[in-house]
Amino acid sequence: MTQLQALSKEELQSRLEELTKQYEDYQGENLNLNMSRGKPAPEQLDLSMEMLDLFDQHSTLHAENGIDLRNYGGLDGIPEAKQFFAQMLAVDTKEVIIGGNSSLTLMHDTISRAMFHGVSGGARPWKDEAKIKFLAPSPGYDRHFAICEHFGIELIVVEMLEDGPNMDEVEALVREDELIKGIWCVPKYSNPSGAIYSDEVVERLTNMETKADDFRIFWDDAYTVHHLSDEKIEVKNVLETAKAFGNSDRPYVFASTSKVTFPGSGVAAFAASEENIADAKKHMSVQTIGYDKINQLRHVRFFTDVISLEAHMEKHAAIIKPKFDLVYNTFREQLGNKGIASWSEPKGGYFISLDTPAGTATDIVQMAKEAGVTLTGAGATFPYGKDPEDKNIRIAPTFPTLDELEKALDVLCTCIELKSVEKLLS
């Protein structure tokens, strides 16, 4: 029996009165704290400021292949940037396209191309199907879900485990339904749970039988270099594994420097088989003449290689790891052994997944907001914003200062316990 469950009705009522007083005190403080998105803190952005001093009016802005970066050209990126991302993602330079500042844009455009033109290999456009469906391991990333919702793609929830999606569910679904065309994956430090895909999951995803011959894995490797400790987690290479199983066209890999340098002016990359790359370039040539090549060079001059990138990311970890530790310690101290919450403790990434008693997350998020603490909306980690159990809350601890985070967590824990006691009394 947990600590709260062991209390009598009278003791619960007394505790409710204490918590209500605490909550009212917080409301009186006129707080304005925001943990709604996974934004880097200003101190993290400061780490990349030297990048802005790399070029001046006397700089020679030419890529190693002679292209003048100030002019048109370079559809798929400058060679130096392709080499850098190929090294980061452990792929060949022929398997990489360099985009603008947003990997989300590359994901959106990849689905858009499939909708209107089909994928490589001559499959018919997805828009010509009666309906398109995607698998959505949940809790997951709301912006992935939003892309599908925007294009009218039906999202099917599959359970997210510590080592990736529940593959028994995934395999059973894709084996029987030819309208399931894809799955969203964040393979390392998954948003929001921090899950890390096992070798077995990568192998099953790339080798499974699919009813749709144009099935694609949307592999958002957003946190591939975002470690929180000296332990550098590696996930099995999805492109190499797919090749080994004869399904080289199945994965689409996305990454960016958005949370490495500047989110508003980073560099994004798309990696895939050479066939997929050629197909993407064919359509991109209508959309653009090329992305910001000066910014690409700025990044590869700032990061001379992956070793310098790793050193840079260790500085990021030094800033944000104390914030993650504060969340864990606060939750253990204020919620531990009460039977009212469980949470992930990821080894990297930007988020923590918090589960509260079923049916309480929406009320908890609203209560926190009314006390001046803005959290990610309840339900955001599930398709259509509907958490079937109304229990999951995504915690984004990176942006606030430690003092702000400490206060926000105190408010949140008070809301969680208050709603839990109310539920026990009801």
Side-chain angles (χ1 to χ4, degrees), residues 75-356:
L75 173 67
D76 56 349
I78 64 172
E80 298 95 318
K82 296 180 76 171
Q83 291 162 13
F84 175 77
F85 275 99
Q87 188 180 10
M88 188 174 92
L89 297 172
V91 299
D92 192 276
T93 54
K94 296 178 182 178
E95 299 171 324
V96 180
I97 289 173
I98 307 301
N101 74 297
S102 169
S103 58
L104 190 69
T105 298
L106 296 178
M107 295 176 219
H108 172 280
D109 289 352
T110 302
I111 286 187
S112 180
R113 288 194 297 268
M115 290 294 292
F116 288 96
H117 303 285
V119 300
S120 62
R124 69 177 184 169
W126 288 357
K127 68 177 177 59
D128 293 342
E129 302 282 5
K131 181 185 287 290
I132 296 297
K133 304 175 186 177
F134 259 56
L135 301 184
S138 300
Y141 182 30
D142 54 337
R143 293 195 186 276
H144 289 162
F145 305 152
I147 292 174
C148 284
E149 292 169 31
H150 178 70
F151 285 104
I153 297 172
E154 179 182 330
L155 289 159
I156 301 172
V157 172
V158 296
E159 181 184 18
M160 188 68 180
L161 306 175
E162 290 184 2
D163 66 344
N166 184 325
M167 286 307 302
D168 291 340
E169 287 185 35
V170 170
E171 288 169 339
L173 287 163
V174 300
R175 188 186 304 119
E176 302 297 330
D177 192 344
E178 65 182 4
L179 297 182
I180 297 176
K181 301 294 188 180
I183 184 172
W184 288 108
C185 295
V186 183
K188 187 188 295 186
Y189 312 136
S190 186
N191 179 352
S193 68
I196 300 165
Y197 282 34
S198 66
D199 290 356
E200 179 187 359
V201 165
V202 178
E203 291 167 3
R204 292 174 72 176
L205 281 167
T206 51
N207 190 40
M208 63 188 179
E209 176 189 348
T210 63
K211 188 74 176 291
D213 57 10
D214 52 352
F215 180 87
R216 293 293 186 265
I217 301 169
F218 282 69
W219 195 259
D220 185 359
D221 211 357
Y223 309 111
T224 186
V225 294
H226 290 271
H227 314 289
L228 283 173
S229 70
D230 293 335
E231 183 181 7
K232 305 297 190 291
I233 300 294
E234 294 297 331
V235 172
K236 193 174 181 70
N237 188 304
V238 70
L239 278 179
E240 290 299 321
T241 307
K243 287 178 192 176
F245 288 127
N247 293 315
S248 59
D249 290 343
R250 185 173 290 182
Y252 292 145
V253 180
F254 306 90
S256 78
T257 68
S258 287
K259 290 183 172 68
V260 174
T261 55
F262 304 125
S265 53
V267 177
F270 170 64
S273 69
E274 290 186 49
E275 291 77 10
N276 282 334
I277 292 296
D279 182 69
K281 287 168 63 175
K282 177 180 66 178
H283 298 291
M284 283 174 56
S285 65
V286 179
Q287 180 184 20
T288 180
I289 300 174
Y291 292 99
D292 186 343
K293 298 183 293 295
I294 293 176
N295 194 36
Q296 293 173 27
L297 184 64
R298 181 185 292 118
H299 275 73
V300 296
R301 291 267 177 91
F302 186 64
F303 298 119
T304 55
D305 52 30
V306 171
I307 294 175
S308 65
L309 170 64
E310 290 175 350
H312 182 79
M313 296 312 297
E314 288 172 2
K315 297 175 184 177
H316 275 271
I319 293 170
I320 66 175
K321 185 178 185 299
K323 299 180 181 183
F324 279 78
D325 289 341
L326 177 60
V327 176
Y328 306 151
N329 292 333
T330 303
F331 283 173
R332 292 187 197 117
E333 179 181 333
Q334 298 192 32
L335 303 175
N337 300 320
K338 292 182 180 179
I340 56 175
S342 60
W343 55 91
S344 63
E345 297 191 5
K347 296 182 179 180
Y350 259 63
F351 302 100
I352 296 165
S353 182
L354 171 68
D355 281 340
T356 62

